[in-house]
Amino acid sequence: FPSPHEPAWRFGVGDRVVCNVGECWRPGVVEMRDEIDDEADEFALFPYVVRLDMTGRQIMVPRDQNECVLAEACFGPRAETAFLTPWCRGEEFELSEPPPLRFEQGA
């Protein structure tokens, strides 16, 4: 059957993404594309099936839009953004001190 998403998929199988799961964003890997929605009254496809890193659970992404799914970002070794990388990977972490401000306060 023809896919309504092809050729406009933003992510391929194996791509790392972060998904909006309601209360937060969780990182994972795209495992499938165009999965049939068995619960829809009419024929419908989920653009992506993603396996979440933290739980191993598979979720269906309802729409290929930024409010649902984004490419995972690696924030690199810069001191002011290094604390974000573990968060994006879903790792447990604590901030020992707040990240430095890029601008002076009150200026």
Side-chain angles (χ1 to χ4, degrees), residues 24-87:
C24 61
W25 290 78
R26 294 283 184 225
V29 176
V30 175
E31 289 196 337
M32 293 182 266
R33 295 192 303 196
D34 279 347
E35 184 67 15
I36 295 173
D37 182 354
D38 294 329
E39 296 179 9
D41 292 334
E42 296 181 16
F43 179 77
L45 297 172
F46 289 107
Y48 305 109
V49 175
V50 174
R51 184 166 305 274
L52 299 179
D53 292 347
M54 291 181 74
T55 62
R57 194 177 96 212
Q58 279 187 330
I59 63 166
M60 312 305 199
V61 176
R63 292 178 310 284
D64 189 7
Q65 296 174 346
N66 284 343
E67 68 256 9
C68 297
V69 61
L70 295 166
E72 183 181 54
C74 177
F75 294 93
R78 293 180 20 209
E80 65 270 16
T81 59
F83 75 97
L84 293 171
T85 298
W87 176 77

